[in-house]
């Protein structure tokens, strides 16, 4: 077996582990992850950015890639997720949406060129090679001028805090320069924002909402490099 075959087998194994992990979480995921003040904090920050950046799309075709249980599908026309259990929950919540089950690498099988694709909480689970491949797939499936919105843990924050992920789950963090290099040609970097500057999980739940607005403001300054995540908005070049 050569190195390329070994790498492919390792990637397939990791993807299988990820799908199984989220299959097992599907029924309780919304409650455990977002049914608390910490989850509401994250949800509010992400929704604010998505609404702002997707507003020019209007009634266009928008894909929620790695849509999970459909938390953000009210902002999209289509959903795609590799976990069948997650997709089942998403369909029960959004019966009128077109929600498909499959990996992001098979996005072309939908046969749709989208005006925008957003993808949150996925890149952190992927290798650099998988991220690079996903950039190519999304570039092919976007209309000229289409937007690709995604997030990834901020590399500088992790270096300063000494955070060490265990295994594939949340194992990838990138700098802005690394994101640009992986994206390659064909994209224009429109903007980016930092989210979760404060260690919200360590703040009393009753004061968390007050910190969010300050967090939002910090995410627009150079201090965003110290936020937990960076959300990027790229535009396919015309």
């Amino acid at each position: 077996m050569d190195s390329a075959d070994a790498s492919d087998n390792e990637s397939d194994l990791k993807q299988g582990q990820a799908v199984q992990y989220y299959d097992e979480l599907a029924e309780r995921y919304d409650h455990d992850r977002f049914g608390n003040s910490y989850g509401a904090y994250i949800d509010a920050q992400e929704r604010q950015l998505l609404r702002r950046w997707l507003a020019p799309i209007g009634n266009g075709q928008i894909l929620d890639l790695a849509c999970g249980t459909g938390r953000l599908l009210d902002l999209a026309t289509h959903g795609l997720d590799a976990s069948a259990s997650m997709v089942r929950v998403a369909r029960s919540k959004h019966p009128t949406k077109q929600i498909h089950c499959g990996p992001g690498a098979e996005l072309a099988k939908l046969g749709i060129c989208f005006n925008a694709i957003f993808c949150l909480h996925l890149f952190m689970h992927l290798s650099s090679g998988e991220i690079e491949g996903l950039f190519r797939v999304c570039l092919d499936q976007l209309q000229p001028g289409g937007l690709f919105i995604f997030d990834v843990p901020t590399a500088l924050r992790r270096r300063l805090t000494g955070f060490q992920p265990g295994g594939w789950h949340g194992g990838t963090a990138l700098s802005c320069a690394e994101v640009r290099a992986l994206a390659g040609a064909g994209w224009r970097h429109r903007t980016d924002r930092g989210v979760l500057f404060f260690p919200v999980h360590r703040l009393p739940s009753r004061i968390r909402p007050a910190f969010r607005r300050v967090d939002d403001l910090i995410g627009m300054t150079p201090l965003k490099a110290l936020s937990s995540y960076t959300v990027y908005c790229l535009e396919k070049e015309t």
Side-chain angles (χ1 to χ4, degrees):
M1 179 184 296
D2 61 27
S3 59
D5 289 337
S7 178
D8 288 344
N9 287 340
E10 182 179 354
S11 178
D12 290 343
L13 176 62
K14 185 175 71 172
Q15 289 177 18
Q17 292 172 337
V19 170
Q20 181 180 2
Y21 175 86
Y22 283 104
D23 276 343
E24 293 172 355
L25 285 180
E27 295 300 326
R28 64 180 191 277
Y29 182 79
D30 287 342
H31 177 270
D32 292 353
R33 186 72 173 88
F34 295 100
N36 51 63
S37 59
Y38 177 75
Y41 190 105
I42 299 171
D43 183 74
Q45 283 197 297
E46 293 173 345
R47 283 181 177 277
Q48 177 173 278
L49 289 178
L50 287 174
R51 286 194 178 107
R52 182 183 304 153
W53 293 347
L54 292 172
I57 303 299
N59 295 321
Q61 302 275 68
I62 300 174
L63 174 69
D64 181 354
L65 178 59
C67 65
T69 57
R71 173 175 64 97
L72 298 170
L73 269 170
D74 56 304
L75 303 175
T77 57
H78 296 71
L80 177 68
D81 198 275
S83 165
S85 296
M86 287 283 199
V87 166
R88 186 163 51 249
V89 174
R91 285 172 175 165
S92 70
K93 291 162 60 177
H94 300 278
T96 64
K97 300 284 184 176
Q98 297 187 45
I99 306 171
H100 307 270
C101 186
E106 298 179 3
L107 176 56
K109 290 184 178 181
L110 299 185
I112 303 169
C113 276
F114 293 96
N115 300 100
I117 298 171
F118 65 83
C119 174
L120 299 184
H121 306 286
L122 175 62
F123 275 29
M124 61 177 155
H125 300 323
L126 304 180
S127 67
S128 294
E130 290 167 331
I131 292 172
E132 192 172 21
L134 197 57
F135 273 123
R136 290 195 297 269
V137 170
C138 290
L139 189 68
D140 288 342
Q141 298 308 127
L142 278 170
Q143 299 277 3
L147 303 181
F148 185 31
I149 301 168
F150 59 91
D151 71 332
V152 67
T154 309
L156 179 58
R157 169 78 165 239
R158 285 198 173 179
R159 287 200 299 271
L160 293 177
T161 61
F163 176 81
Q164 294 294 327
W168 62 268
H169 192 274
T172 296
L174 299 171
S175 67
C176 184
E178 289 169 331
V179 167
R180 290 174 185 262
L182 290 173
W187 299 103
R188 183 172 76 87
H189 186 147
R190 287 189 56 165
T191 188
D192 58 72
R193 292 288 187 275
V195 298
L196 277 180
F197 177 84
F198 294 111
V200 181
H201 58 291
R202 296 179 180 175
L203 300 176
S205 58
R206 67 182 182 278
I207 68 171
R208 288 174 182 174
F211 274 82
R212 190 186 66 78
R213 297 188 184 281
V214 181
D215 206 320
D216 292 343
L217 293 173
I218 291 174
M220 295 186 286
T221 73
L223 287 174
K224 63 188 176 184
L226 298 175
S227 294
S228 297
Y229 297 86
T230 305
V231 186
Y232 294 87
C233 181
L234 305 188
E235 179 182 341
K236 179 176 177 176
E237 293 180 346
T238 56

